[in-house]
Amino acid sequence: MAMLRAAAKKAMAVVGTGAPQAASAFSRTLHASPDSKKIVGVFYKANEYASLNPKFVGCVEGSLGIRDWLESKGHQYIVTDDKEGPNCELEKHIHDMHVLITTPFHPAYVTAERIKKAKNLQLLLTAGIGSDHIDLKAAADAGLTVAEITGSNVVSVAEDELMRILILVRNFLPGYHQVIKGDWNVAGIAYRAYDLEGKTIGTVGAGRIGKLLLQRLKPFNCNLLYHDRLKISPELEKETGAKFEEDLDAMLPKCDVVVINMPLTEKTRGLFDKERIGKLKKGVLIVNNARAAIMDTQAVADACSSGHIAGYSGDVWNPQPAPRDHPWRYMPNHAMTPHISGTTIDGQLRYAAGVKDMLDKYFKGEEFPAQNYIVKEGKLASQYQ
């Protein structure tokens, strides 16, 4: 296969430099069986909901809809939701699996220790977008390929972000809770409910999701700002009216709403700490469907309690699943949910189809689409560097 030949070539190059440990890491991919593969998938369990929708493929029971296809080709397919601790189901298969499929919604944390145990592992595949639950440096050092289904749920997440912005701006949740409790107090909602029109919205990150959000916000007649390492195209700037802000700290105080749309990397981890949150406009609203570790957990909770952050909404937590005592569960004026934005039924069908296509290419030794690689031949994709 092309991937194995590339690995072999790199392994020989490493041997030539006198680095036997690195050579061993690369060469382990060369001795795996070229035929039957052991593939392990880690997904969330649907339980009683599994049978309610035949398109519900992103769960353990649905198994991405690829079991029959894989087994008809002679491959072994193990699917579980049990991923934590030394005696979990995932640990039982680490030593001899060739492919591990994970998701951001029920992440199996692929540590350097797990990678070291996985002697036959060749491919780490994310069903969805966001591979930060994997130790990418350890994967690169081990000569593994890490890939995801780029673009599979960007529409799902962008639509969810727009919904969260409106929920916060209109102070929707207190009204909903009043109805459930049998109350009726218009003043208790109206005193902090606003129109979205005329507000300044800033997205921190303008990749695929950020761009879609800007396009969806355009009809609301907002002032749109964006910060990113790269500028969007002049055509899209003209279409959306979005203005580029090179200096993040200069942009933030201008924003009524801040939306986080950047990947989690060593550079972005903890980016919004107490000091940076203090630079935000008092009464700011924040939407974060990216990664929770970009935020300082306690600093967000404290700012919500003080009113500096008037509302916080997102579906990403650190860690996931969030423990019962996570402070974001109890901070005021939040609209948090479990990690759901990218796992709509439509999103599931897209990333399930993408996983099948990637596995088919893997079996045939073909290259993946370039944008799907997160780690290739020991090198991290630019967004993770």
Side-chain angles (χ1 to χ4, degrees), residues 101-113:
I101 306 171
T102 58
T103 78
F105 317 108
H106 185 72
Y109 292 100
V110 184
T111 61
E113 181 182 3

Side-chain angles (χ1 to χ4, degrees), residues 106-148:
H106 185 72
Y109 292 100
V110 184
T111 61
E113 181 182 3
R114 281 180 161 173
I115 288 172
K116 189 175 181 181
K117 293 179 188 175
K119 302 301 183 184
N120 288 345
L121 186 61
Q122 298 171 327
L123 174 63
L124 288 160
L125 191 55
T126 299
I129 304 170
S131 298
D132 48 86
H133 54 283
I134 298 167
D135 187 326
L136 297 177
K137 183 179 184 304
D141 291 345
L144 302 179
T145 296
V146 182
E148 58 188 37

Side-chain angles (χ1 to χ4, degrees), residues 43-44 53 55-59 64-65 102-105 126-129 148-160 340-356:
F43 314 118
Y44 54 80
N53 190 337
K55 296 180 180 179
F56 192 179
V57 296
C59 55
L64 300 182
T102 58
T103 78
F105 317 108
T126 299
I129 304 170
E148 58 188 37
I149 316 304
T150 300
S152 59
N153 50 24
V154 293
V155 169
S156 311
V157 177
E159 287 185 359
D160 187 273
I340 56 171
S341 63
T343 191
T344 62
I345 295 299
D346 300 290
Q348 289 175 41
L349 293 173
R350 287 190 294 266
Y351 63 69
V355 166
K356 183 178 180 181

